[in-house]
Amino acid sequence: MPPHPTLSDGSCLSPAQVQALEHIENDFRAAPELLQNIVRGMHKAMDLGLSKPDQTLAMLPSYIVGSATGNEKGRCLALDLGGTNFRVCEVLLLGQPGQYTMQQKKFKIPHTLKIAPATQLFSFIADGIHSFLEEFATPEERQGASCSAISLGFTFSFPVVQRALNYGELLQWNKGFTNPGAVGKDVVGLLQDALHTRGIEVTVTALLNDTVGALMACSYHYPNTVMGAILGTGSNTAYMERMSRITKFDPLAVTPGASAPKRQVCGEDEMVINMEWGAFDNEGDVIPYNRYDRMLDVNSTNPGCQMFEKRISGLYLGEIFRLAILDMVRLKLVFNGKISCALETPYVLDTSVISTIVDDASPDFCEGTPVVEEKLGLQFTCAADRYIVRRVATLVAYRSARFAGAALGAVVLRRDDRLARSTSEEPLTLGIDGSLYEHFTTFRENMVQSFRETVGEDNMTKLRIVLTKDGSGVGAAVAAIMNREGKCL
Ligand code: ADP
Ligand code: MG
């Protein structure tokens, strides 16, 4: 970070302000040695998670073997459940890399259904699928007269332990869903039962996490894809791992209710693994916690959990920033020491506010000013206020982007064999989805820079990062079609 300049009104920061900012800079440093530690720590945690169940990194097998070729062809449905809405899509893969058509319909999930018995939630979803088919199905399908059921890929963004591509037991709900009667049950079975009850001729053939969907969607465009990552409300990554290294996994284990394995696998085959990397370093052995990390964690709904996600994802960056600014206000170093009700309200600041401040290149962030003043219920009093606010926002986002880039680099380096075989003509590809990557320019640039430092300049020509927006639609369809083609377990 450069030294503090003379401010736009000709004033300078006071020694107390300089000292407080230095303290915060120290809190949010992300030096090269720390990035190296993240790589080493991540590799160790990946090995542990692949060898035994119940480790910090869950490293969940997806039952998808190999990546897409881009030649997948066919029509199926995709269902995306993971937040405020669920979405039903009809996807037609045209069998040419990246070529598809899609129609979709979104349904808002009323709050009452997020806490109702699980059968009611799944009935509501089945009704949505029915209403979608009424609109988009062929006449034969509508009358149930087509010769086979339509297959459906189900993107389900909650933690599940899968025992087959079409079988996954829910570990726990989150994001406001609490529907009793689902934890420990197979969510494919719950959905399939609701569809059967209504006589809907749809078979759920693939269940996948949104990161797995991102990977599959990206590999349909670019077959040399090795990972899919999400940098949005939360953060997580899926990547291709060699079967020989997934030592905890027994492909022949029989699962009640799941279809029989469709194929034999060998050690050289690769399976998509959902890392659940938000939990990386929950122990705190690798990345030091600063005072704001601790405050955020202690007051969170899941203390001690998702500690990496709490440093890098959209749900938390605005809150970390609020805690740091509140500290500065209490020391009377900004906003004339005036505390507003909003400033004391947890999670009052969305991470998009941080990007509005940081991405605005004007000296006093003209665009961000009204947003910050309105959200915090405070007026900037001088150039020093603006400078401090922007500096703190920049530091918080900088650390987060650097950590995310190092973690992405760690996963790529894990597959140094694939990297060695890649070329600048056919680069190894990473699909990334999520608003932080898509909309927060400074975050993206710092993340790519940290990724570059981690994998090494020479390797950058053999790597490509692609914004992959439709994992839950196209990715789910690709998985369902690959299953039809016998490429899954
Ligand atoms: P989700 O992860 O829920 O699928 P998104 O990928 O859109 O959805 O991520 C939403 C998160 O991204 C929220 O935490 C929000 O604060 C943050 N966000 C949205 N827009 C921006 C932006 N322009 N800059 C930075 N963060 C943003
Ligand atoms: Mg998303």
Side-chain angles (χ1 to χ4, degrees), residues 60-74:
L60 303 171
S62 69
Y63 292 77
I64 297 174
V65 179
S67 54
T69 58
N71 303 128
E72 289 72 18
K73 203 169 181 175

Side-chain angles (χ1 to χ4, degrees), residues 259-459:
S259 50
K262 290 204 163 48
R263 57 171 291 186
Q264 301 268 306
V265 289
C266 72
E268 281 313 295
D269 277 322
E270 294 180 336
M271 184 186 283
V272 179
I273 296 287
N274 164 16
M275 294 177 67
E276 291 293 335
W277 85 3
F280 172 58
D281 197 37
N282 277 351
E283 304 82 4
D285 294 339
V286 179
I287 307 173
Y289 300 130
N290 68 33
R291 45 204 167 135
Y292 308 115
D293 296 328
R294 285 187 202 285
M295 274 185 238
L296 181 141
D297 182 49
V298 167
N299 295 309
S300 68
T301 52
N302 54 353
C305 301
Q306 299 294 98
M307 295 307 288
F308 190 57
E309 183 171 73
K310 283 174 180 158
R311 263 75 152 252
I312 66 171
S313 82
L315 183 55
Y316 303 105
L317 298 196
E319 177 63 2
I320 295 177
F321 168 78
R322 184 191 69 87
L323 292 170
I325 289 294
L326 182 58
D327 223 15
M328 297 284 278
V329 176
R330 287 195 173 129
L331 293 168
K332 303 203 177 346
L333 299 174
V334 67
F335 292 121
N336 276 337
K338 196 171 163 214
I339 294 182
S340 64
C341 187
L343 188 59
E344 289 192 304
T345 308
Y347 295 91
V348 74
L349 292 175
D350 190 277
T351 298
S352 59
V353 177
I354 311 289
S355 73
T356 312
I357 301 169
V358 176
D359 281 350
D360 183 342
S362 67
D364 284 335
F365 58 99
C366 309
E367 265 182 55
T369 295
V371 182
V372 176
E373 290 188 338
E374 196 215 309
K375 295 267 176 197
L376 289 183
L378 290 168
Q379 304 288 312
F380 287 105
T381 58
C382 56
D385 275 0
R386 293 164 184 280
Y387 181 81
I388 289 169
V389 162
R390 173 140 67 179
R391 184 79 160 190
V392 172
T394 304
L395 290 167
V396 171
Y398 177 75
R399 179 186 70 158
S400 145
R402 301 269 295 163
F403 284 0
L408 291 170
V411 179
V412 166
L413 291 176
R414 169 88 187 176
R415 294 309 314 270
D416 52 359
D417 53 330
R418 289 282 300 265
L419 191 54
R421 292 202 302 272
S422 299
T423 60
S424 51
E425 287 76 40
E426 210 193 309
L428 197 59
T429 304
L430 291 68
I432 305 189
D433 186 17
S435 284
L436 266 79
Y437 180 74
E438 186 180 4
H439 300 300
F440 191 170
T441 308
T442 311
F443 179 96
R444 184 172 59 244
E445 288 168 358
N446 285 331
M447 191 193 86
V448 171
Q449 176 55 27
S450 150
F451 178 74
R452 180 189 301 274
E453 287 171 35
T454 306
V455 299
E457 185 66 42
D458 291 352
N459 282 325

Side-chain angles (χ1 to χ4, degrees), residues 210 230 433-434:
D210 51 356
I230 307 282
D433 186 17

Side-chain angles (χ1 to χ4, degrees), residues 17 50 109 111 130 162 171 181 183 200 205 248 257 274 282 295 317 336 346 348 365 396 458 473:
Q17 287 171 323
L50 290 171
I109 305 172
H111 176 70
H130 180 73
Q162 278 185 250
L171 285 175
V183 171
I200 302 170
T205 54
K248 69 178 175 184
N274 164 16
N282 277 351
M295 274 185 238
L317 298 196
N336 276 337
V348 74
F365 58 99
V396 171
D458 291 352

Side-chain angles (χ1 to χ4, degrees), residues 94-263:
L94 300 172
Q96 298 282 332
Q99 302 296 308
Y100 66 89
T101 61
M102 186 160 86
Q103 317 193 66
Q104 57 178 307
K105 205 169 168 182
K106 248 187 194 179
F107 300 85
K108 189 163 170 52
I109 305 172
H111 176 70
T112 48
L113 273 176
K114 292 187 182 180
I115 55 176
T119 45
Q120 286 183 27
L121 173 69
F122 283 97
S123 297
F124 180 70
I125 295 169
D127 286 340
I129 293 172
H130 180 73
S131 120
F132 178 86
L133 288 174
E134 287 283 296
E135 215 170 304
F136 295 105
T138 62
E140 300 82 48
E141 283 167 346
R142 228 172 283 140
Q143 286 155 19
S146 76
C147 48
S148 61
I150 311 167
S151 58
L152 179 144
F154 183 14
T155 306
F156 183 72
S157 308
F158 300 93
V160 287
V161 171
Q162 278 185 250
R163 304 200 189 282
L165 184 65
N166 62 346
Y167 185 98
E169 289 160 12
L170 178 65
L171 285 175
Q172 69 205 40
W173 286 116
N174 55 33
K175 296 182 264 192
F177 287 75
T178 58
N179 308 85
V183 171
K185 297 251 178 69
D186 168 34
V187 292
V188 171
L190 291 172
L191 175 59
Q192 196 67 70
D193 287 348
L195 291 165
H196 275 156
T197 305
R198 281 160 182 70
I200 302 170
E201 293 285 318
V202 167
T203 306
V204 186
T205 54
L207 174 72
L208 57 163
N209 182 264
D210 51 356
T211 55
V212 176
L215 195 161
M216 299 321 293
C218 192
S219 70
Y220 180 65
H221 289 249
Y222 307 104
N224 198 15
T225 296
V226 76
M227 62 191 283
I230 307 282
L231 287 159
T233 306
S235 181
N236 188 18
T237 283
Y239 78 111
M240 310 282 316
E241 182 56 281
R242 289 213 304 266
M243 291 297 295
S244 58
R245 294 207 288 202
I246 316 171
T247 52
K248 69 178 175 184
F249 181 73
D250 176 6
L252 297 177
V254 180
T255 304
S259 50
K262 290 204 163 48
R263 57 171 291 186

